[in-house]
Amino acid sequence: MKSKSMRPSVRQAAIFETIEKRGRATVEQLAEKFGASAETVRRDLSALAEAGRVRKVYGGAVKVNIAKEGLFEERLATNTRAKREIAEKLSQLVRPGQSIMIDTGSTTLICIETLMRHRDLTVITNSTHIAQVVAAAKNGSCAILLGGIYSDNNAQTVGAQTCAEIRLIRTDHVVLTITALDNSGAYDFSEDEAQVARAMIEGAGALTLVADGSKLGRASTFRICELTEIRNLIVNVTPAPELKAALIAADVHII
């Protein structure tokens, strides 16, 4: 299929269809497929990305919304063994008396249950579930629940007020869950949750991402951070070689 015989709109539609089918494609692959220059393909990908139809990554583009989240209760019952393994690893990084900023998620909820073995933690969160676990532990730990707009699905607060409160706080640890992680960074399916996560990162003493193997090598829509912003990635499986190499190059400690 030669680019010279195709109008830009037609070529872009064909590129979009290719990425939809494959999940991702490089500039080189698309240039060869459509007989176009790499620069032409980059312009096409930029146009598609601006329209929200694909997400540009280094060297190409990926399908948007490959990774989405279901209901909180469903996610809590999924990959439970992996999440408990991750929680045990996280507990080795935390010491009694430290402060932790932690966001909403099924993985972080399991993590906080395990962390309550430590006494006298200060836990700042936008999750009412997590706050309840900390309060019920009665081990000297303190739960600080962030204000904001309440979202019933994930039992969390989000929005401008939440982010404003976060920016007044600095903690020893920031622990975040994610929807997807690939070579270009960490992502969430929700812009509201991504905004909260980005605000938490601003106050990070040490940023730790917790993610079971289903999140690795996937794509989602809203960026949380670049790989270079991550200090620790706690996983239950070894990342694929390409992703592992990118994490090592970004000086991420894989646990």
Side-chain angles (χ1 to χ4, degrees):
M1 188 181 298
K2 297 299 182 182
S3 175
K4 290 181 180 179
S5 62
M6 301 177 69
R7 297 191 307 276
S9 60
V10 175
R11 186 179 57 250
Q12 289 168 18
I15 288 174
F16 171 72
E17 184 178 351
T18 299
I19 294 172
E20 280 287 297
K21 289 180 178 178
R22 296 182 181 180
R24 63 176 61 227
T26 66
V27 170
E28 290 75 14
Q29 289 170 339
L30 295 168
E32 181 178 356
K33 179 179 178 64
F34 297 105
S37 69
E39 186 58 34
T40 295
V41 170
R42 290 190 186 97
R43 286 197 298 268
D44 289 336
L45 292 178
S46 293
L48 289 168
E50 288 175 6
R53 304 186 74 192
V54 303
R55 179 166 62 81
K56 290 182 71 177
V57 296
Y58 181 78
V62 298
K63 179 180 177 181
V64 298
N65 287 333
I66 291 176
K68 294 186 178 181
E69 291 187 317
L71 295 175
F72 186 87
E73 292 77 10
E74 295 173 354
R75 288 185 280 120
L76 193 60
T78 302
N79 296 330
T80 303
R81 180 178 295 180
K83 292 170 183 176
R84 295 199 181 284
E85 180 181 336
I86 289 165
E88 291 292 340
K89 291 180 178 181
L90 176 63
S91 70
Q92 301 303 309
L93 298 181
V94 176
R95 297 291 177 264
Q98 288 190 319
S99 57
I100 304 168
M101 186 101 70
I102 188 165
D103 71 347
T104 298
S106 58
T107 303
T108 47
L109 179 57
I110 291 174
C111 283
I112 206 67
E113 291 172 350
T114 302
L115 288 180
M116 284 302 98
R117 297 173 186 168
H118 299 301
R119 295 189 58 84
D120 303 319
L121 297 180
T122 299
V123 179
I124 298 95
T125 184
N126 67 324
S127 164
T128 59
H129 289 321
I130 288 175
Q132 287 169 350
V133 169
V134 176
K138 302 187 184 306
N139 66 349
S141 294
C142 171
I144 299 175
L145 182 63
L146 297 161
I149 299 170
Y150 183 70
S151 173
D152 184 55
N153 181 32
N154 282 345
Q156 65 177 333
T157 53
V158 295
Q161 180 179 335
T162 311
C163 293
E165 291 184 15
I166 289 169
R167 292 188 176 101
L168 299 175
I169 302 168
R170 183 170 182 83
T171 57
D172 296 310
H173 300 273
V174 170
V175 179
L176 302 178
T177 188
I178 56 174
T179 299
L181 181 75
D182 64 17
N183 293 10
S184 66
Y187 292 82
D188 201 293
F189 88 105
S190 162
E191 172 64 0
D192 285 338
E193 293 186 16
Q195 285 179 343
V196 170
R198 289 193 293 266
M200 288 183 171
I201 289 169
E202 292 179 15
L207 173 59
T208 297
L209 296 188
V210 290
D212 66 72
S214 69
K215 310 295 179 62
L216 305 184
R218 303 180 74 183
S220 195
T221 309
F222 300 103
R223 182 192 289 272
I224 294 173
C225 65
E226 297 181 359
L227 297 185
T228 53
E229 298 176 79
I230 306 166
R231 179 175 297 184
N232 304 303
L233 172 65
I234 303 182
V235 289
N236 64 303
V237 296
T238 301
E242 184 180 353
L243 177 56
K244 183 178 180 180
L247 290 164
I248 291 172
D251 199 26
V252 177
H253 185 202
I254 304 171
I255 301 172

